[in-house]
Amino acid sequence: MDHGHRGFTPLEERLDAWAHRRSQALAVDASRLRRGLLEFAVFTVKQAWACVFGAAMLVLLVLAGLLYPDGALLVRGDALVIAAVTVQAAMLVLRLEGGRELWVIMIFHVVGTAMEVFKTHVGSWSYETDGLLRIGGVPLYSGFMYAAVGSYMVRVMRLFDLRFVRYPPIWTTALVAAAIYANFFTHHYLPDARWVLLLLVAWLYAPCVMTFRNRRGGARFRMPILLAFVGVAFFLWIAENVGTWAGAWIYPHQAAGWQLVPLTKFVSWLLLMMISVVLVTFVHRPREPDAASARNEEGERDRLRR
């Protein structure tokens, strides 16, 4: 029995069922190109859906930066907090998001906001100073930006039925994630250990291979997990550039006018992702490919190659 689709929301269930039916229809006489295009289309749509919470937050930040009136009675930061809460509530009410995402989002709120309060205090970056819905110099919508990363991680775990070969022990990843989080604070007073921590991440995860499938019963594809980390961190760096361009927050070098966020922040996002990954593994334990999947994988991939 195929259990890979358990935990889907109703919309995700319909999307996966459509992809499965369409694949069955193409199985007999469609060309390899058409079958490959279907796999790519399903992958793209599911990735976009996994990003839906983060994309909604990014749209809100851009719209607030471009269109929100400066003299409004409700200041921009407070309006963004209300809008973010509204989006989150709507997704739960409409069953576009499950309870597991909500738990991860709450954890990320706490972890992200705590770091934000410290970082703004030491001047690493800054937000607008007005508004009531804030902690110190940090508007509460900032927590939703971290929560969006957690939401994405949980969604891809179930949408693509992720399995892992040679995943490192959870306790080792938790120790490294705790050291990474601590370094975000301590590097202001002690030597920065980010490059040592990056090497530890590479050492831990280098043997690990991630397998995924685009739809139930579909072929499993393989990818080194470090490659997946780098890809996600790159898109987070792109999103950060959009957010700073919209004025949601700024770095000191952007005070006189917007400039590209330096690539060193890409390394920070890569390390921050490790915290995200470990938190998500407490909700979705990494699983190895089961025996049935291993037997069916080669046959399905051979069919796609024909």
Side-chain angles (χ1 to χ4, degrees):
M1 182 180 294
D2 184 4
H3 298 284
H5 63 288
R6 283 185 175 179
F8 280 1
T9 65
L11 178 62
E12 293 164 358
E13 181 68 37
R14 290 194 294 272
L15 171 61
D16 194 73
W18 172 85
H20 181 69
R21 290 194 305 270
R22 187 61 181 157
S23 175
Q24 294 298 103
L26 294 177
V28 178
D29 57 359
S31 67
R32 175 184 172 185
L33 176 61
R34 289 184 66 190
R35 293 195 298 266
L37 287 174
L38 175 66
E39 293 286 346
F40 179 74
V42 174
F43 176 83
T44 302
V45 170
K46 285 193 171 184
Q47 281 287 344
W49 178 243
C51 297
V52 65
F53 188 79
M57 280 301 304
L58 203 58
V59 168
L60 288 174
L61 294 177
V62 171
L63 291 178
L66 293 178
L67 304 177
Y68 201 82
D70 292 334
L73 183 62
L74 183 67
V75 301
R76 189 179 358 250
D78 289 352
L80 277 169
V81 176
I82 295 170
V85 172
T86 301
V87 169
Q88 179 64 80
M91 292 185 69
L92 290 170
V93 170
L94 297 174
R95 299 177 67 193
L96 301 178
E97 194 161 68
R100 283 187 166 185
E101 282 90 345
L102 184 60
W103 279 110
V104 172
I105 284 170
M106 296 304 296
I107 294 170
F108 272 72
H109 267 292
V110 174
V111 171
T113 302
M115 189 171 71
E116 287 279 328
V117 170
F118 175 81
K119 287 291 192 178
T120 54
H121 177 72
V122 298
S124 296
W125 55 80
S126 61
Y127 294 89
E128 294 179 334
T129 56
D130 50 359
L132 298 175
L133 302 177
R134 59 195 305 112
I135 299 175
V138 181
L140 295 181
Y141 69 77
S142 68
F144 284 94
M145 296 185 292
Y146 290 90
V149 180
S151 175
Y152 169 80
M153 295 287 185
V154 173
R155 284 172 182 273
V156 294
M157 288 283 284
R158 69 160 188 264
L159 284 172
F160 296 95
D161 187 26
L162 298 187
R163 304 296 178 94
F164 304 91
V165 179
R166 297 184 298 276
Y167 195 89
I170 296 295
W171 68 269
T172 61
T173 64
L175 284 177
V176 171
I180 289 170
Y181 189 66
N183 188 67
F184 280 117
F185 296 84
T186 60
H187 82 84
H188 292 279
Y189 312 106
L190 299 172
D192 191 352
R194 74 179 62 194
W195 299 109
V196 174
L197 293 168
L198 194 61
L199 287 174
L200 280 175
V201 168
W203 175 72
L204 270 180
Y205 286 98
C208 182
V209 174
M210 179 178 74
T211 76
F212 65 95
R213 59 182 179 179
N214 293 329
R215 52 184 172 77
R216 73 187 69 175
R220 280 199 168 273
F221 302 96
R222 299 167 66 89
M223 175 187 295
I225 195 170
L226 285 176
L227 180 60
F229 290 163
V230 169
V232 174
F234 176 74
F235 281 104
L236 289 172
W237 178 75
I238 294 293
E240 183 176 38
N241 275 283
V242 175
T244 56
W245 173 81
W249 70 97
I250 61 170
Y251 290 101
H253 76 281
Q254 297 171 324
W258 184 81
Q259 300 178 46
L260 197 68
V261 176
L263 276 172
T264 53
K265 295 296 180 183
F266 168 80
V267 177
S268 297
W269 276 113
L270 185 58
L271 290 173
L272 187 64
M273 268 190 56
M274 297 303 101
I275 302 171
S276 309
V277 168
V278 170
L279 288 176
V280 170
T281 59
F282 293 146
V283 178
H284 287 287
R285 290 284 177 169
R287 296 182 296 168
E288 295 185 354
D290 55 48
S293 295
R295 286 193 300 269
N296 293 334
E297 178 180 344
E298 281 303 316
E300 181 70 14
R301 291 177 70 178
D302 286 344
R303 184 178 67 80
L304 285 172
R305 287 193 288 263
R306 289 197 297 269

